[in-house]
Amino acid sequence: IAFTVAPLLYMIRLSLDPDPVGPASWPPRVSLANYAALASPLFGVFPALRLSLLLTTGTTVVSLLVAIPAAYALGRLRLRSASWILPLLLALAFFPGVILLVTMRRRLTELGLLDTLPGIGLAQLSFTVPLAVWFLAYAFRQITDEVEDAAKLDGANARQRIVHVVLPMARPGLAATTALVFVASWSDFLFASGLSQSPNSETLLVLLAKLPTIGFLGGQMAAGVLSSVPVAAVLAVALVWLERRSARH
């Protein structure tokens, strides 16, 4: 925990110091000047933050919409092919994206989607969808057959069973998968940088890679803190919800 928390606390302290490269003082100086400076159009941090939120939210939603029916088929229908499809999906989730980058650039250029958020989102689906399917399939398998059999006797079709039976009972797995996909999309730098050519599709992580060239240490730390807030918020919501869910049972 110390190796994880200590750098984050140090980054927060430097982001609140109006002169982080100056001599240390006690008590520490606290100011929001670095955050206020990031609002300048010179840095473009907040537009990049907005684009990152749009990209990550869209990628997460699409990933879940594709993964839920696929995971239901692999996890609940007892397909023979599931025994090798699920390991294959896990391998695809961690397949080196750099191998796909050149081909994706060509295809997205042909489709007119290069340097756009939808184009980057499509590329991210190559690892977010397999990851979501793999986790959801195993979450759906934890539901007893008797519950779904009862829904079948009541005349529920596959869509109704997924929406009204499987998903409500697999909420912890769904919440964890949502958080995992969100973090994976938010943390993507390879596709976000390789498929972006202008500020119109530049995410916050890509912009952060350029900030050191400006020589603004306090702003760099403040931007780093801002980039951590959405991930921390999503993980906190998921953990609190899971804790309350487990407390009820």
Side-chain angles (χ1 to χ4, degrees):
I1 297 177
F3 282 103
T4 304
V5 176
L8 180 61
L9 293 178
Y10 186 65
M11 181 172 65
I12 294 174
R13 191 193 75 78
L14 291 181
S15 73
L16 296 173
D17 192 333
D19 185 19
V21 297
S25 62
W26 187 262
R29 296 163 294 187
V30 177
S31 172
L32 297 177
N34 293 322
Y35 292 91
L38 292 180
S40 170
L42 173 64
F43 302 109
V45 170
F46 289 101
L49 176 61
R50 180 180 63 84
L51 292 176
S52 292
L53 289 172
L54 288 174
L55 173 64
T56 303
T57 302
T59 301
T60 303
V61 171
V62 174
S63 297
L64 292 177
L65 290 176
V66 175
I68 287 173
Y72 176 81
L74 294 171
R76 299 295 305 167
L77 300 184
R78 309 303 185 192
L79 301 176
R80 291 183 179 180
S81 55
S83 61
W84 61 267
I85 290 179
L86 287 174
L88 178 61
L89 287 174
L90 186 61
L92 288 175
F94 295 99
F95 190 78
V98 67
I99 299 177
L100 305 175
L101 185 58
V102 175
T103 302
M104 285 188 174
R105 282 184 61 92
R106 292 186 58 184
R107 293 293 178 263
L108 292 177
T109 301
E110 294 171 358
L111 296 173
L113 294 176
L114 186 65
D115 194 29
T116 65
L117 290 185
I120 299 174
L122 284 174
Q124 290 185 349
L125 293 178
S126 65
F127 62 86
T128 58
V129 169
L131 200 63
V133 173
W134 193 86
F135 277 96
L136 287 176
Y138 283 99
F140 292 167
R141 283 184 177 180
Q142 306 308 311
I143 301 172
T144 59
D145 294 336
E146 289 77 8
V147 175
E148 192 171 3
D149 290 339
K152 291 180 182 179
L153 293 175
D154 291 336
N157 56 33
R159 182 187 63 82
Q160 292 170 331
R161 295 197 302 272
I162 292 175
V163 174
H164 300 293
V165 178
V166 175
L167 288 180
M169 297 191 69
R171 284 176 183 172
L174 181 62
T177 302
T178 301
L180 184 66
V181 171
F182 186 94
V183 172
S185 174
W186 182 270
S187 304
D188 171 57
F189 181 80
L190 177 65
F191 292 133
S193 60
L195 301 176
S196 174
Q197 296 180 322
S198 71
N200 295 328
S201 62
E202 193 171 72
T203 64
L204 185 57
L205 289 186
V206 177
L207 181 65
L208 284 177
K210 300 179 180 179
L211 282 181
T213 61
I214 300 177
F216 181 31
L217 179 60
Q220 296 171 30
M221 297 299 103
V225 173
L226 287 177
S227 69
S228 305
V229 169
V231 173
V234 170
L235 291 178
V237 170
L239 289 174
V240 170
W241 188 89
L242 289 174
E243 183 178 355
R244 290 181 179 178
R245 181 78 177 178
S246 60
R248 292 177 184 176
H249 297 281

